[in-house]
Amino acid sequence: MSARFEEIDWRPTAMGDISLRRRRDPASGDDVYEVKLGDEFLMSSLFTAGEIALTRLGLAELPDTALDIAVGGLGLGYTAQAALDDARVRSLVVIDALGEVIEWHQRGLVPLGASLASDPRCRLVRGDFFAMVDDSCGLDPQEPGRRFHAILLDVDHSPRHVLHPRHATLYQPAGLRALAGRLQPDGVFALWSNDPPDEQFSSVLADVFAESQAHVVDFDNPLQGGTAANTVYVARKAADAT
């Protein structure tokens, strides 16, 4: 059994101090992994339903063929692992701005790290997802201009509550059109949000994509009691779009 609390790693980064912590949950006795950026909690292994639902909802209506997937935001790896659990996925590119987070996985410091780092279908890429969407090379440094069957994004708290001001442009029409250009025809963009469905953002999605929907994902909240909810937006590019 692990110690009751341990700070596994702490690093200063351009975005602020980031730390990986492990604590023992007194109720279950399980280890809970948490990531903080400064004083703000970014993610916890206690709450993974939204990250997993992001992948499952995003891939649900894609064809039964070999799929190429891109994920923006590695975190603790639950979105990426859910993609690898789908037998249709033949390749997965996971982009994270923080090399420290990628290193946690490569060193096996987080529960899913060894699985992700050793899967030959999965490649962990250090980069600024938001800048890469607009860059001519796109989301895969090894294959400039590559397009994906699905792009799954879990970085900001929501389209309104972003981790960095420069991220906000992605959630506007021009940013979403640039992202759609990284998708195959009939491809899917899915976005995790910690806020309830946002009608204004849903309207922007509807203007850019052929189909879009906001899904509410409910899950148990043992810290506060009762249930909590995330939102997963799923938008599909037109089949005849370039």
Side-chain angles (χ1 to χ4, degrees), residues 51-53 55-56 59 77-86 89 116:
E51 288 88 342
I52 295 170
T55 297
R56 292 179 177 171
L59 304 188
Y78 288 92
T79 297
Q81 185 61 57
L84 294 175
D85 289 342
D86 190 317
V89 173
L116 292 178

Side-chain angles (χ1 to χ4, degrees), residues 122-182:
C122 180
R123 184 151 39 90
L124 306 180
V125 175
R126 182 179 183 180
D128 183 338
F129 174 90
F130 300 86
M132 293 167 75
V133 165
D134 282 325
D135 189 274
S136 60
C137 289
L139 298 177
D140 186 352
Q142 293 187 9
E143 190 177 332
R146 184 183 184 190
R147 294 196 291 178
F148 297 85
H149 296 98
I151 298 173
L152 315 175
L153 180 57
D154 177 11
V155 173
D156 294 310
H157 296 303
S158 75
R160 293 182 183 270
H161 300 101
V162 296
L163 293 182
H164 193 284
R166 68 174 180 271
H167 295 181
T169 58
L170 181 76
Y171 306 111
Q172 302 302 315
L176 291 173
R177 279 193 285 270
L179 186 144
R182 304 300 175 190

